[in-house]
Amino acid sequence: MKIRLEGPEGQKREAELTGVPVSVGRSGDNVVVLDDRPVSRRHCVFDLDPEGKVTLEDQGSRYGTTVNGAQAVGLVVVTPGDSIKMGDWEAGVFDETLPVAEEQTEPPMAETRKLGPEEKQTTRKTRLMKVQTTRRYSLGYLVFLFSLAALGLTLLVFALLDAFE
């Protein structure tokens, strides 16, 4: 398995996933270095688990990492075809061991049959990602809002006192 990244100006990076974590970020100590301001110094880590699944974990980056448009929170399983964004960079997972499908002129006919009693229907289990929906505000911004509310309340009290005199 490989991860391929493409930058906003056509820059390309690639890394092989071999079971050793592949760190991505602006800092020079990452396996994949992306020199782009919206990318954090330690942005995210790709890894290949013992079952062969590719996982992605955001490392608390400022602008986050998205997988198929949803904010990646915690450990997320990514598959070939998923759209991964970090800053202005796009990434994808590729499995080069899979054979390339031949081009077909007609779509194949689907085969249908009933399952016998000894056959079980299998289902694919997928892990759902948590989508971060809360907005985080800085302490300075919250203090500003509180001060603004207190000032408004003070002006209201003075206006009421002035009206009763």
Side-chain angles (χ1 to χ4, degrees):
M1 295 287 248
K2 288 186 177 183
I3 56 168
R4 290 187 187 143
L5 300 103
E6 187 170 332
E9 297 168 7
Q11 316 94 304
K12 295 187 187 295
R13 306 282 190 280
E14 190 172 286
E16 183 81 30
L17 294 168
T18 60
V20 177
V22 174
S23 59
V24 178
R26 258 189 3 251
S27 175
D29 64 346
N30 289 296
V31 176
V32 178
V33 178
L34 306 178
D35 189 22
D36 191 19
R37 256 345 234 165
V39 175
S40 295
R41 287 185 295 263
R42 298 258 318 145
H43 199 94
C44 65
V45 174
F46 288 90
D47 202 358
L48 189 64
D49 73 6
E51 297 173 0
K53 295 178 186 171
V54 178
T55 60
L56 164 75
E57 187 171 17
D58 188 85
Q59 298 294 294
S61 61
R62 171 175 239 148
Y63 299 108
T65 305
T66 61
V67 178
N68 298 327
Q71 193 75 26
V73 178
L75 200 62
V76 178
V77 175
V78 292
T79 58
D82 285 345
S83 172
I84 304 161
K85 287 198 68 133
M86 54 201 80
D88 294 328
W89 286 75
E90 289 193 39
V93 177
F94 297 91
D95 188 354
E96 293 184 342
T97 61
L98 296 176
V100 177
E102 294 180 21
E103 200 170 352
Q104 298 178 2
T105 55
E106 287 184 41
M109 296 295 288
E111 291 183 33
T112 59
R113 67 182 179 84
K114 287 192 170 190
L115 296 176
E118 66 278 347
E119 296 177 300
K120 291 183 180 177
Q121 185 173 354
T122 60
T123 58
R124 182 177 175 196
K125 293 181 181 177
T126 57
R127 181 178 179 164
L128 298 176
M129 295 182 298
K130 294 181 198 171
V131 178
Q132 186 176 1
T133 56
T134 58
R135 187 173 193 109
R136 296 182 187 160
Y137 296 104
S138 70
L139 181 61
Y141 184 69
L142 293 174
V143 168
F144 170 75
L145 287 177
F146 181 74
S147 301
L148 194 61
L151 177 65
L153 185 60
T154 304
L155 290 174
L156 180 66
V157 168
F158 280 120
L160 288 173
L161 290 174
D162 191 41
F164 286 114
E165 288 183 357

